[in-house]
Amino acid sequence: MCLFCRIVAGEVPAKRVYEDDRLVAFDDINPQAPMHVLVVPKAHVATLNDLDTTHDALVGEMIRRGAAIAAERGYSQRGFRTVFNCNADAGQAVFHIHLHVLGGRPLKWPPG
Ligand code: AMP
Ligand code: ZN
């Protein structure tokens, strides 16, 4: 099982901030901003390249959940960033898709 499947299964501890039957969200272990949450589907999908139409609702839920978590923390108006990294050039390190939700400081653009 991959690392995030193990977190979903409760075999690896994580600071969970949200869970439902399809998603879990937890604090990133190496936060890059005051808020750095990962929104992760419970089903294993390795990369964005592996998505098909059966995942469309799931990905929509991930993005809406990221926005909801940002809203809970008061970042809706000042802003926040959502990121999916895909494969080597983007620095994907865990091959189970996850949405990074970052906020609480000004974020530079373009990213490095
Ligand atoms: P990515 O580079 O997009 O694959 O991002 C993987 C993210 O997972 C990084 O931001 C890591 O800090 C984070 N991460 C790795 N291991 C853990 C863990 N055990 N619990 C929470 N976050 C983790
Ligand atoms: Zn997995």
Side-chain angles (χ1 to χ4, degrees):
M1 253 202 291
C2 89
L3 174 62
F4 287 176
C5 281
R6 294 183 69 205
I7 288 177
V8 167
E11 294 176 12
V12 171
K15 171 78 193 317
R16 291 181 187 227
V17 300
Y18 178 82
E19 181 167 9
D20 63 25
D21 56 336
R22 279 150 69 87
L23 303 179
V24 60
F26 50 86
D27 286 338
D28 195 290
I29 204 168
N30 182 24
Q32 300 301 312
M35 171 181 68
H36 189 172
V37 170
L38 303 176
V39 180
V40 175
K42 289 188 169 177
H44 180 85
V45 179
T47 79
L48 292 190
N49 297 329
D50 301 301
L51 291 170
D52 61 42
T53 57
T54 69
H55 299 111
D56 287 356
L58 180 66
V59 174
E61 287 172 25
M62 291 173 71
I63 295 168
R64 285 198 308 106
R65 182 52 50 192
I69 291 167
E72 281 168 12
R73 300 182 188 206
Y75 297 141
S76 296
Q77 296 309 313
R78 61 183 285 194
F80 60 95
R81 181 167 294 162
T82 55
V83 176
F84 283 102
N85 291 321
C86 182
N87 279 340
D89 274 6
Q92 185 175 2
V94 178
F95 287 85
H96 179 136
I97 60 167
H98 48 280
L99 181 65
H100 294 259
V101 185
L102 299 134
R105 67 171 174 86
L107 297 162
K108 290 188 169 53
W109 192 264

